[in-house]
Amino acid sequence: MTGRAAVVYRVGRTGTAWRQAGDEIVVLDTESSVYFGLDRFGALLWTRLVDGATTADLVAALVAATPVEPERAGADVQSFLDTLLRYGLIQVS
C-alpha cells in the first residue's frame, strides 16, 4: 500500500514580489499591480510558503505561534491558501 503524497504550496516564482516590513509582509501581484498586506500571522505563513509547505506544516506553525485551537488554525490556514490561490500568488505541487 502506498501513501498519497502531501500537497505542497509554494510562493509563485513569477508575477509575485514581496518585502517584509517589521512583522508584516507586503505582496505585489506584478501582473495586476495589486498589493496585499499580510499581518504577522499571514507573514508567518507566507515565509513558510517561500520554500514550500503543506497544510499540516502551516497549521503546526500557526498553532505553535498563537493560542489557537488546531481546528480553528486549520480553517484559517485553508481560507488563507484559498485566497492566495484565487489571486494566483501561490502554486500547488
Side-chain angles (χ1 to χ4, degrees):
M1 182 165 148
T2 60
R4 188 173 164 195
V7 173
V8 175
Y9 299 91
R10 182 179 318 278
V11 170
R13 298 294 179 210
T14 60
T16 305
W18 64 277
R19 294 289 176 261
Q20 188 143 7
D23 60 355
E24 298 180 348
I25 288 180
V26 177
V27 179
L28 170 64
D29 177 342
T30 59
E31 294 174 8
S32 67
S33 298
V34 175
Y35 285 92
F36 300 87
L38 305 179
D39 65 12
R40 67 185 181 118
F41 302 116
L44 170 78
L45 300 177
W46 182 266
T47 57
R48 280 152 178 79
L49 290 168
V50 171
D51 293 322
T54 65
T55 301
D57 296 333
L58 298 173
V59 170
L62 193 57
V63 168
T66 64
V68 64
E69 296 295 322
E71 296 78 24
R72 174 61 192 261
D76 290 347
V77 164
Q78 192 58 59
S79 177
F80 182 70
L81 292 172
D82 290 344
T83 299
L84 296 177
L85 284 167
R86 185 172 57 246
Y87 287 101
L89 299 174
I90 58 173
Q91 302 170 338
V92 179
S93 59

